[in-house]
Amino acid sequence: RLPEDYPASILHDDAVWEIAVTRAGQGRKDDACAALARLADKWPDSKYLLEKAPALAADLGCTVPAAQQ
């Protein structure tokens, strides 16, 4: 609910990353992949796209666009 409760927050990408990790941990691959896609779409310069999302996406078998350089 972070985006709804705190629209000016700089932590939105952090929240979406945590959703992706949580869904992956629950075995909800499609939901995790959707969260990763949202992360890439809404926050293309997110540190998670550089650091952690590629490995999680590979583990899940989903495609995530590369981070913006």
Side-chain angles (χ1 to χ4, degrees):
R1 292 186 30 139
L2 179 89
E4 295 83 22
D5 293 345
Y6 302 98
S9 175
I10 61 168
L11 301 175
H12 290 194
D13 66 323
D14 299 82
V16 173
W17 167 252
E18 290 299 329
I19 289 169
V21 171
T22 299
R23 298 300 183 255
Q26 294 171 329
R28 296 170 58 185
K29 176 189 167 195
D30 291 343
D31 292 334
C33 289
L36 289 173
R38 180 173 182 223
L39 180 69
D41 181 53
K42 295 276 190 177
W43 301 279
D45 58 346
S46 172
K47 65 184 177 191
Y48 297 107
L49 294 176
L50 288 172
E51 299 170 359
K52 298 178 180 181
L56 181 58
D59 287 346
L60 295 170
C62 54
T63 304
V64 176
Q68 299 292 317
Q69 299 293 327

